[in-house]
Amino acid sequence: MKRRMLIILVLLICLNAGCWDLREVEDLGYVMAMAIDSGPQGKIRLIAQVPNPRVLGGGQRGGITPGASIAAKPYRNYEGTGSTIFDALREISRESSRRLFFAQNRTLIFSEAMAEKGVGGVLDFLKRSVEIRHGLTMVFVARGDPAKILDIPNPHATVPALRIDDIVRWRGQTSRFAPVPLSRFLETLSLEGQEPYAGVIEAAFNPAAQVREGEKAALEPPLTLRLTGAALFRNDRMVGFLDETETRGLLWVLNEVKGGQIVFPCPGQEGKKATIEILRANAKIEPEITEDGIIMTVKIREEGNLVEVEGPLDTSKPEVIKELDRLHAAAIGNEVMAAVYKAQELGSDAFGFGEAFRRKFPREWKKIKRDWPEIFPGIEVRVQVVAHIRRMGMTGKPPFLAP
Amino acid sequence: MGEVGPMREEGKISAYQAMVYQVSIVLATAILFVPAITAKHAKQDAWISVIIACFFGSLQVYTAVSLARRFPDASVVQYAPLILGKVPGKVVGFVYLFYFFYVGYFVLQEFSALMCSSYMPRTPPIVFMLVLSLLAVYAAYGGLEVICRMSSIVLTVVLATMVLVVLLIIKDIKIWRFLPALENGLGPILLGAIPPGGWFGETAVLLMLYPFIDNKEKVVKTSFLAILILFIAMEMVVIGAVGLVGPTEAACFLFPTFNMARLIKLEALPILERQDALFMMIWVAGMLIKLTTFFFAGVLGLAQWLNVKDYRPLILPSMAIMMALAVQAWENIAELFAFSGEVFPLTIIFVNFIITIFLLITAGIRHISTRKA
């Protein structure tokens, strides 16, 4: 009797798995990237990129050439328009054979127009939705039509969303673009003394696509995907862009520089350059109140490896390294100041100077927080960089300097 | 007045098993809601609120132990009439046992709220309530010893998983999110300490368990140990949630601990990301022991209040009433949350602290005690 009960119970487990919310993997369309654009008449235009597992798994090189048939494409970009984002989403579902599923989405792109109009309304949906993962979704602003950007072919990572994801993964190679997780974007939006920023994504001319003489046509796609710079926001509205140098200036202050190259003039010979690869960096903002107003001191410590010297420098001498330390510290300082000037011009405190001030002087902050947007462009920012070259590769001297 | 003494054999538990019971009765809901509710008032100082709440909780549990020690062979429902006289005593006894049902149906609602909001939106909430309450009913039939042993196992797993989740996010916790300390003075911190203080006070369930405890001399120690375990668990989730997304965001999310588990990000080991399922496991298991402990205490109290020899016939009718109360109680999640932040803590503090201390003082003045000298 007991055994029979047990068997029945075990069988019941098989029958009752999943309840009402059962969803089979085969029925889901995994959205890998979504782009949000503002459409005509205040509507929202949404693009959702869903990979096509049949083509991806079949090992075909789909989508290399722009003219390839749609069946060979390893992804499909669904596009829909609606009054709200959820409305647009459900419009798309009328085209899709699978239920669109957003938990795997890692890329969120706002068009420039959308970002300028304000993303607050859209963010509410993303915050409410249980499928969107705030920690894994990276926020970008697109320069140009996001639909075009999400349709740029590439032979390696054939789905553009995966390609973006991989490029983000290797962001420490340059630290010249600023992807930000949605969770951080939302947090900075909620802070009084810090404004959000986002990465910038664009479709750039592909230099490898040039038609050379004697060749019929290029097999390379004419455009390539490019992650570049940062977009600064004031509240939920984008106010402008930082270029790549300025972006790294911002990232230094935010402690987000994970690596990258610093090129600076090499002493000893005019026009020659030296290059450092950044190993690690650490920054701290120290606010002060003086009679002349608020002064922010950004203290940066950086360590790097020397990877290239063009000039005739005997790098085996410690005093030469000291000189290079000083020079590349100055280069870092210049990047930070360029970012600060640009951000002050745009009126967006993406650095969190206001937050640093609040943390150190909570009482004074209460008095000035309302006026912070007006105060921020006028504050004095100082940068102190301590930079160290730790190692220099496998050679002690440039080749032409050998005795 | 009938004679006061233990009911039909309910088994004996050790002081440590009582501690497990005390921890189980608080843990599950507290860890899910404490960050949002305390951060709402105390902002980045939520962790200080939890410390204050811990002291308040210790005071409550000490009051409860002091009262229980005067009546080593009976539960509060049984000796309240001895202290206050028949009718007022019965009223107080009913308040106590209703409190257990009251939190019980609140737990049912909270459970279905999270399950429907985040995991299974299409499943009717009644299904979650039914499944959980049937399990609780089954456990209640097993009796006190069974519940204690089940809780020990579940609690070990739950606490270990919680530690794992916190370890996975520890690298993303930023100290500067807790600065500046005491930005708005002590007031908001105290306000933020009230709800967790109420939760800590739920350990006063000892008033029901005391007659069944074997080694009564250890109860003070184990009760404080229970408070300590709860304190560590609450601090972990408060520091985790606030240190990960900042106080404003932590206060904004309905289930910040759930969000915390979702924010695990490890580029080196992506297999450990996306721990929602793990969190769901802790949550369901934790809610089960929470409901069971409350429900059992309630049914036991009801049987004692009615002077019935065995509580078992009361199990199914009680659960039916609890389910009905749970279904009709809150219309939407906004009501549920407003209630759990503002009304709920005060009511449980009233039962666990105000009534208990009132009973203790009255018993002290009237020199009522059944303890053998």
Side-chain angles (χ1 to χ4, degrees), chain B residues 108 126-141 288 291-292 295 315-316 319 323:
Chain B
L108 279 175
I126 190 84
V127 175
F128 295 119
M129 295 189 195
L130 202 68
V131 170
L132 201 69
S133 51
L134 284 178
L135 278 169
V137 162
Y138 180 65
Y141 271 109
L288 174 65
L291 181 71
T292 310
F295 179 64
I315 289 177
L316 278 174
M319 187 51 96
M323 288 278 294

Side-chain angles (χ1 to χ4, degrees), chain A residues 292-344:
Chain A
D292 309 328
I294 297 163
I295 299 177
M296 296 283 171
T297 309
V298 181
K299 291 187 171 168
I300 298 174
R301 295 183 65 86
E302 185 262 2
E303 283 180 32
N305 284 347
L306 188 65
V307 289
E308 246 187 298
V309 180
E310 289 180 350
L313 274 187
D314 185 354
T315 48
S316 59
K317 288 186 177 147
E319 60 270 22
V320 172
I321 296 295
K322 277 262 163 7
E323 172 73 358
L324 291 176
D325 280 351
R326 201 183 55 73
L327 285 168
H328 97 270
I332 295 170
N334 288 342
E335 286 184 355
V336 174
M337 287 319 291
V340 169
Y341 289 140
K342 188 65 174 284
Q344 285 185 327

Side-chain angles (χ1 to χ4, degrees), chain B residues 93-103 105 325:
Chain B
F94 185 77
V95 170
Y96 262 108
L97 72 94
F98 185 73
Y99 148 76
F100 291 116
F101 289 122
Y102 165 74
V103 182
Y105 73 79
L325 287 170

Side-chain angles (χ1 to χ4, degrees), chain A residues 104-118:
Chain A
Q104 305 289 326
N105 182 46
R106 281 170 173 268
T107 306
L108 171 67
I109 301 173
F110 293 117
S111 75
E112 209 175 324
M114 186 77 212
E116 276 170 354
K117 257 174 61 182

Side-chain angles (χ1 to χ4, degrees), chain B residues 138-162:
Chain B
Y138 180 65
Y141 271 109
L144 184 60
E145 287 186 358
V146 172
I147 292 174
C148 283
R149 260 179 255 133
M150 175 192 85
S151 304
S152 319
I153 298 169
V154 173
L155 199 67
T156 315
V157 177
V158 167
L159 287 175
T161 319
M162 264 180 71

Side-chain angles (χ1 to χ4, degrees), chain B residues 159 162-163 166 231-241 260:
Chain B
L159 287 175
M162 264 180 71
V163 171
V166 173
F231 169 71
I232 293 170
M234 284 198 208
E235 275 302 10
M236 278 201 308
V237 293
V238 166
I239 291 175
M260 184 176 93

Side-chain angles (χ1 to χ4, degrees), chain A residues 160-172:
Chain A
L162 295 174
R163 185 176 172 198
I164 296 169
D165 192 35
D166 285 341
I167 298 174
V168 170
R169 202 147 56 93
W170 300 114
R171 62 185 176 276

Side-chain angles (χ1 to χ4, degrees), chain B residues 289-361:
Chain B
I289 53 176
K290 174 150 187 151
L291 181 71
T292 310
T293 45
F294 265 104
F295 179 64
F296 179 77
V299 174
L300 195 65
L302 186 63
Q304 291 168 344
W305 194 71
L306 297 170
N307 278 329
V308 185
K309 279 240 164 74
D310 191 1
Y311 68 92
R312 286 184 176 81
L314 298 171
I315 289 177
L316 278 174
S318 308
M319 187 51 96
I321 293 171
M322 232 169 83
M323 288 278 294
L325 287 170
V327 170
Q328 60 81 42
W330 296 278
E331 286 199 354
N332 54 45
I333 197 156
E335 269 185 27
L336 181 72
F337 275 83
F339 182 86
S340 72
E342 288 152 29
V343 185
F344 183 76
L346 296 176
T347 50
I348 61 174
I349 287 172
F350 174 72
V351 176
N352 286 322
F353 187 56
I354 311 281
I355 295 189
T356 310
I357 208 161
F358 174 66
L359 285 177
L360 181 65
I361 291 169

